[in-house]
Amino acid sequence: MKKMFIIGFSIMILGLLFAGFGFAHGGNQGIYWDNGFKAVDSKAQGRHYRQRSFSNINQIDLTADDDISIRRGNVSKVTVRYLNGNQVDEVNGKLTISGTSHHRHFSWIIGGFEDDYNNDSPISITIPEKAKLASLTGNPEDSVEVEGLTINKVDLTGEADVSMTDTNIKKSFNLQNDGDVTLRGVKAPALLQSSDDGDVTITESIFNKGQSSLSTDDGDVTLSSNTFDSVKTNTSDGDMTFRNQLINKRFEASTDDGDISGHINREKPIRVIAQGDDSDVTLFGRSRRSYGIDNVKGVQYRFDTNDGDITVE
């Protein structure tokens, strides 16, 4: 027993010596994930936040590569908190955010890792409670989170994932991005959305004054408890799922290589047509490809898939 204690104690001392040697030679650097763990260089560890405030901002343009959050808060002016290396400019009421990406990195502590940014976004913008924006535009490259805002126009392109919560868009809403789109509690006349490589998830949102269009080349489309005037959805390589949709006029869904499944309320007159080249089609518990009467004065539904099943309850 004593021999085992001495061996264990000796190993612990050696471990402490090696750890001390490693820390003395830069082993205490933070790490980040970029297709594998990588060490943050000494310059990166010197990054720090800056903060600026602006009056009379009515437009925001985003071209930064970093994560960006925009939300309403208890401030008297538009306030921007950002990591140095990003750039914040204001001209005639238009706020422009630009800069290169900061990898989120972690420092080693006993028992694991801790986030050096404490889960803060590298760029955070806080809008006064009663303020409204004329426009939110740009081509961000990482991620954009928007919460609790009122905006006249939204027009975002780029590679970023876009997430919006409890946001009211008065006029046009256009998203042409390469990442995921997640909307909850969003209201706009209509939504024009296109993604090259991302999932589209929309929940408890209202687009009831025009034709909406949703598409993704390589992702799923999931709709839950929304209101649309008319909507057309397409996914090239993914599934389409819908539940509890209130449709005023027309709902169309198509997939090139994926399943379509969902629920339709039959309390009002409807017409459903489903087509599939190599598909099992089930409408309201029966194998059939149409339901309802032609030219019925009600909501029109059409479902098409080239290589997938269609199931409507």
Side-chain angles (χ1 to χ4, degrees):
M1 188 71 174
K2 185 177 180 181
K3 183 177 180 182
M4 292 297 293
F5 174 80
I6 293 173
I7 293 173
F9 184 77
S10 300
I11 292 173
M12 182 183 72
I13 295 298
L14 282 173
L16 290 173
L17 289 173
F18 282 123
F21 180 81
F23 272 68
H25 289 77
N28 61 334
Q29 297 180 86
I31 63 171
Y32 63 89
W33 179 266
D34 185 10
N35 295 318
F37 283 113
K38 297 181 181 179
V40 179
D41 60 32
S42 58
K43 291 183 180 179
Q45 289 182 323
R47 293 169 179 155
H48 61 275
Y49 280 98
R50 298 180 179 181
Q51 183 166 302
R52 296 177 64 187
S53 296
F54 302 88
S55 300
N56 302 318
I57 296 297
N58 58 22
Q59 300 177 66
I60 296 178
D61 186 69
L62 308 173
T63 59
D65 292 348
D66 265 331
D67 293 343
I68 303 169
S69 68
I70 311 173
R71 51 180 46 91
R72 198 177 297 277
N74 187 22
V75 294
S76 59
K77 300 178 181 180
V78 172
T79 302
V80 186
R81 185 172 182 264
Y82 60 100
L83 283 172
N84 62 336
N86 288 302
Q87 186 170 342
V88 178
D89 298 301
E90 184 273 330
V91 178
N92 297 327
K94 182 176 182 179
L95 188 66
T96 300
I97 313 293
S98 59
T100 56
S101 176
H102 293 80
H103 294 286
R104 181 171 292 278
H105 56 86
F106 301 84
S107 293
W108 183 86
I109 59 174
I110 294 175
F113 298 93
E114 68 175 5
D115 188 344
D116 290 350
Y117 295 156
N118 296 318
N119 294 318
D120 287 341
S121 294
I123 302 171
S124 61
I125 305 170
T126 306
I127 308 295
E129 291 287 354
K130 296 183 179 180
K132 299 178 181 179
L133 294 176
S135 66
L136 174 63
T137 59
N139 57 336
E141 299 299 314
D142 207 329
S143 73
V144 176
E145 296 183 10
V146 178
E147 182 178 354
L149 301 190
T150 298
I151 312 169
N152 276 350
K153 180 183 76 170
V154 173
D155 189 354
L156 295 174
T157 61
E159 297 182 2
D161 295 332
V162 177
S163 174
M164 288 191 177
T165 306
D166 299 332
T167 295
N168 189 0
I169 300 162
K170 296 290 190 179
K171 296 181 180 179
S172 61
F173 188 14
N174 183 27
L175 296 177
Q176 310 291 323
N177 64 317
D178 290 344
D180 295 337
V181 171
T182 305
L183 307 179
R184 177 181 289 274
V186 174
K187 184 176 181 179
L191 168 61
L192 301 180
Q193 178 277 327
S194 176
S195 175
D196 288 341
D197 184 15
D199 295 330
V200 179
T201 305
I202 304 177
T203 307
E204 298 173 356
S205 297
I206 300 174
F207 310 99
N208 61 351
K209 294 182 181 179
Q211 174 71 48
S212 293
S213 176
L214 316 174
S215 69
T216 176
D217 286 346
D218 188 13
D220 297 330
V221 177
T222 304
L223 306 177
S224 179
S225 302
N226 304 296
T227 298
F228 289 95
D229 187 34
S230 293
V231 60
K232 185 175 183 178
T233 73
N234 174 263
T235 174
S236 297
D237 187 13
D239 296 331
M240 164 69 200
T241 305
F242 60 95
R243 289 287 185 275
N244 301 324
Q245 304 302 296
L246 177 58
I247 307 298
N248 293 336
K249 297 176 183 176
R250 188 174 181 86
F251 183 101
E252 296 182 50
S254 61
T255 68
D256 290 339
D257 185 12
D259 297 332
I260 299 172
S261 63
H263 176 269
I264 294 176
N265 189 337
R266 290 188 284 172
E267 291 181 359
K268 296 182 179 181
I270 60 172
R271 174 62 169 163
V272 182
I273 297 176
Q275 299 291 335
D277 293 340
D278 186 16
S279 311
D280 292 329
V281 178
T282 304
L283 302 180
F284 309 113
R286 292 176 54 186
S287 179
R288 52 184 166 180
R289 295 183 177 240
S290 65
Y291 174 89
I293 303 171
D294 284 334
N295 302 317
V296 66
K297 292 183 178 180
V299 180
Q300 306 291 315
Y301 293 88
R302 183 176 180 91
F303 305 109
D304 294 275
T305 178
N306 291 330
D307 186 13
D309 297 332
I310 299 173
T311 305
V312 175
E313 300 172 350

